[in-house]
Amino acid sequence: MATPLMGQMMTSPLTISSLITHAARHAGATEIVTKRVEGDLHRYTWRDAEQRSRQMAQALLKLGCQPGERIATLAWNTHRHLETYYAVAGSQMVIHTINPRLFPEQIAWIANDAQDSVLFFDATFLPLVEKLAPSLPSVRHFVLMTDRAHMPAETSLKGLLCFEELMAAEDGRYAWPEFDENSAACLCYTSGTTGNPKGAVYSHRSSVLHSMAAALPDAMGCSARDVVLPVVPMFHVNAWGIPYTAALVGFKLVMPGPHLDGKSLYELFEGEKVTFSAGVPTVWLGLLNYVKANGLKFSTFKRTVIGGSACPPAMMKALKEDYGIEVIHAWGMTEMSPLGTLSKLNARQAALPADEQQHLLEKQGKVIWGVDMAIVGDDGRELPWDGQSAGNLLVRGHWVIDRYYNHPESPLASVDGKPGWFPTGDVGTIDQDGFLQITDRSKDVIKSGGEWISSIELENIAMAHPDVFEAAVIALPHPKWDERPLLVVVKKPGVELTREQMLGFFEGRIARWQIPDDVAFVAEIPHTATGKMQKLKLREQFKDHKLPGI
Ligand code: ADP
């Protein structure tokens, strides 16, 4: 057999440190601005961030940390968290971002599963960490991410270290090492709404490829002219990769710290001339409320990615029509780093009538290069892309996990008998144009008389009612139909809205048999630590609710 001719190009491993060295050399003067936990506005450049990341890497080595060790964070989006990201992964350790909104027992469980050796945390979480410390035997060092002046006078944490002191003790004369690009870089846990959370271990290679794909025009489409404020936290799937994409593209990054209320965000958006943002739908509810109540407008904010749960079309419409903000609807999950699909139009679709364009943009969108998807029936056979056939969604690609941390068994399944696909647990349709529409999590679908009703579709309709603040639909058992939908609604403050008016709103908007059987008005819908509606809790709360006619 002839010997194949090999390419004759330079190769070097795709490492995360290569992103920030690029930013320091080629976007060195571009700013990173942080509204810090201490309350001040901190400002420096990518050049400074890279220098300090090297210093923090030196500090970790001095603490005796080794390649492969898991270094945890309980922290907001700040420049210090960014430095920790790069210092840890850049020196071949593994950055484990923990969601501080989880229950303390869950945090301890996750830190023990990961066997974290160092825990970096913001001052906000000092009481939490003091409480957790006795149940974290693997943690050798606790580092408070602040300066000496803000260190607590007293704490039960023995040998508590000060971030800025560790930093100041180092000179930054450290060369980022080169190593196998398949080394672990980041560890993120799924939210674990059912059972214990599971860890997804991203590699340097998968993270760099994900960052490149995220930057593409038909993905997030950010350029060096953008000013980007990730509202999505760095403890929620790496803020959807924005800290990495930021360095790759070299754009200005604005970090909101713990200040996520409508007023603080609005002031930061305006003050720093933010053009692009990303977050879950619930965040925009808060910001839009503030802006609306105060009769404000955005002067530079033009585009945002919304994902993590379905973006209600009514929210998309309000952002576009009232504020001129384009929404890029995105779907993904922790197990896929997280980007899977984004809703962007091609030239032909962009020439369609406005309502047809809108219809496509409301879907979760098309996959980006690097990921493939398929929908299958219960027999594992691939279903047609007709926009009608709903099936279980599977994915594969460069930044999709092939196993969970500490779980040797493979989670993968087959499509048409071919193995190597990750089952997402989502149900959706794909249309002729390749646009995915998520109809539900498989456990949230409402199975009524042998047909499926999409809870997301019903929620989207309810959210379009001007008096509705938030809406969730859950399945309740029904003796004749198996399951029927119950609509749970939070009204906007001060409005009158009756059950009959609410149900009447569905007439003509959906098939009669899909209209919910009942409405429950509540003061609040419970949310998970990542801002999703907690349907498990709602099902528990309404398990004794009597639907009319039973
Ligand atoms: P993330 O942390 O990115 O939200 P999780 O792993 O916590 O990822 O949750 C992923 C799940 O969230 C998906 O499997 C899907 O059910 C849901 N999800 C994410 N984005 C969307 C979206 N745009 N529309 C509907 N559901 C979504």
Side-chain angles (χ1 to χ4, degrees):
M1 206 175 77
T3 317
L5 177 64
M6 301 308 286
Q8 296 171 0
M9 307 305 286
M10 297 181 189
T11 52
S12 58
L14 300 176
T15 54
I16 280 174
S17 59
S18 70
L19 300 173
I20 198 163
T21 41
H22 171 81
R25 272 176 78 77
H26 303 289
T30 301
E31 276 186 317
I32 298 169
V33 180
T34 301
K35 179 88 177 150
R36 289 206 281 207
V37 181
E38 294 88 341
D40 61 341
L41 204 59
H42 173 271
R43 208 175 268 286
Y44 72 168
T45 65
W46 277 108
R47 198 174 296 121
D48 303 325
E50 197 262 343
Q51 158 80 22
R52 279 171 53 95
S53 302
R54 273 186 276 118
Q55 286 171 237
M56 194 41 69
Q58 288 176 302
L60 284 166
L61 293 173
K62 206 181 262 176
L63 290 175
C65 298
Q66 303 280 333
E69 266 184 36
R70 273 76 60 211
I71 312 293
T73 59
L74 274 172
W76 302 110
N77 292 7
T78 69
H79 70 99
R80 293 191 182 112
H81 202 179
L82 184 78
E83 292 154 8
T84 312
Y85 259 49
Y86 281 102
V88 171
S91 54
Q92 216 184 354
M93 296 162 203
V94 185
I95 175 101
H96 172 203
T97 49
I98 308 183
N99 186 338
R101 296 185 185 134
L102 294 169
F103 290 122
E105 307 77 60
Q106 276 179 308
I107 295 178
W109 188 93
I110 288 174
N112 284 313
D113 190 58
Q115 288 289 292
D116 296 323
S117 61
V118 181
L119 175 59
F120 284 79
F121 62 98
D122 274 327
T124 324
F125 309 116
L126 178 64
L128 173 68
V129 175
E130 285 175 334
K131 192 165 126 198
L132 283 174
S135 37
L136 305 177
S138 63
V139 176
R140 299 194 305 270
H141 301 287
F142 292 92
V143 182
L144 184 54
M145 297 165 93
T146 192
D147 52 22
R148 176 45 58 192
H150 292 88
M151 289 296 280
E154 270 182 47
T155 170
S156 59
L157 294 170
K158 275 194 234 65
L160 175 63
L161 298 167
C162 166
F163 189 94
E164 288 301 333
E165 279 182 358
L166 289 178
M167 186 72 83
E170 306 302 332
D171 58 12
R173 274 194 224 127
Y174 171 78
W176 296 115
E178 279 212 351
F179 44 78
D180 186 338
E181 63 185 18
N182 291 302
S183 304
C186 324
L187 172 58
C188 292
Y189 279 74
T190 59
S191 27
T193 37
T194 50
N196 275 327
K198 286 192 223 142
V201 182
Y202 311 147
S203 66
H204 281 258
R205 174 188 159 82
S206 72
S207 303
V208 170
L209 291 176
H210 179 268
S211 313
M212 268 184 92
L216 290 171
D218 284 336
M220 293 198 184
C222 292
S223 77
R225 292 165 298 289
D226 276 304
V227 178
V228 179
L229 186 153
V231 181
V232 54
M234 290 168 76
F235 54 75
H236 184 192
V237 216
N238 291 335
W240 302 347
I242 290 174
Y244 300 132
T245 305
L248 182 139
V249 175
F251 53 67
K252 174 176 166 183
L253 198 52
V254 181
M255 300 294 224
H259 312 278
L260 299 174
D261 59 288
K263 182 171 188 289
S264 308
L265 282 178
Y266 179 77
E267 285 169 4
L268 210 49
F269 270 81
E270 287 300 296
E272 296 304 321
K273 301 191 167 41
V274 171
T275 59
F276 183 95
S277 187
V280 297
T282 37
V283 167
W284 304 114
L285 284 180
L287 184 60
L288 278 181
N289 254 5
Y290 174 78
V291 175
K292 204 166 184 178
N294 294 281
L296 301 166
K297 292 273 174 206
F298 292 99
S299 41
T300 52
F301 185 24
K302 286 286 172 279
R303 287 169 303 134
T304 184
V305 172
I306 297 188
S309 51
C311 176
M315 179 182 287
M316 219 180 228
K317 207 163 159 245
L319 281 164
K320 190 165 189 172
E321 290 175 7
D322 303 344
Y323 300 100
I325 298 166
E326 177 200 348
V327 171
I328 304 164
H329 193 192
W331 167 86
M333 59 198 309
T334 305
E335 289 89 335
M336 48 195 314
S337 312
L339 288 184
T341 65
L342 296 104
S343 65
K344 286 279 186 82
L345 305 178
N346 66 19
R348 184 183 57 75
Q349 293 149 357
L352 290 170
D355 58 332
E356 288 180 44
Q357 288 188 35
Q358 193 53 29
H359 179 66
L360 286 175
L361 292 171
E362 286 168 7
K363 297 190 179 196
Q364 278 74 3
K366 289 177 64 87
V367 288
I368 32 179
W369 172 87
V371 181
D372 193 7
M373 65 179 172
I375 44 169
V376 301
D378 287 335
D379 57 1
R381 294 272 142 215
E382 186 163 9
L383 294 172
W385 291 16
D386 56 12
Q388 299 296 324
S389 314
N392 298 313
L393 176 66
L394 293 98
V395 290
R396 63 179 177 189
H398 296 301
W399 47 87
V400 180
I401 63 159
D402 75 352
R403 59 186 176 274
Y404 288 102
Y405 184 61
N406 278 344
H407 288 260
E409 68 282 5
S410 171
L412 304 188
S414 299
V415 171
D416 283 343
K418 292 187 197 76
W421 291 81
F422 178 78
T424 63
D426 285 335
V427 176
T429 61
I430 304 176
D431 66 18
Q432 294 86 339
D433 290 317
F435 276 71
L436 168 72
Q437 180 158 24
I438 299 283
T439 48
D440 254 312
R441 289 295 284 164
S442 56
K443 57 183 184 301
D444 294 337
V445 198
I446 300 145
K447 298 186 180 106
S448 172
E451 298 282 348
W452 286 6
I453 303 177
S454 156
S455 66
I456 294 180
E457 196 175 354
L458 298 183
E459 286 155 8
N460 285 345
I461 293 174
M463 287 293 286
H465 192 290
D467 294 340
V468 171
F469 177 74
E470 201 170 18
V473 173
I474 54 168
L476 288 188
H478 191 283
K480 179 163 176 207
W481 302 110
D482 255 352
E483 291 179 344
R484 289 296 302 161
L486 169 73
L487 172 64
V488 184
V489 169
V490 181
K491 288 187 260 193
K492 286 196 179 146
V495 299
E496 294 284 331
L497 177 64
T498 64
R499 171 184 183 276
E500 285 62 38
Q501 287 165 334
M502 186 71 253
L503 292 181
F505 191 69
F506 284 86
E507 300 279 349
R509 291 185 159 88
I510 199 162
R512 264 256 158 82
W513 63 273
Q514 298 186 333
I515 297 179
D517 280 21
D518 205 1
V519 185
F521 292 101
V522 294
E524 205 182 349
I525 288 173
H527 287 94
T528 66
T530 48
K532 299 174 204 236
M533 294 191 289
Q534 221 168 0
K535 298 206 176 165
L536 208 66
K537 221 173 195 168
L538 278 180
R539 280 195 284 268
E540 180 60 30
Q541 190 177 332
F542 287 97
K543 68 178 190 312
D544 299 324
H545 183 91
K546 262 188 81 65
L547 289 175
I550 304 186

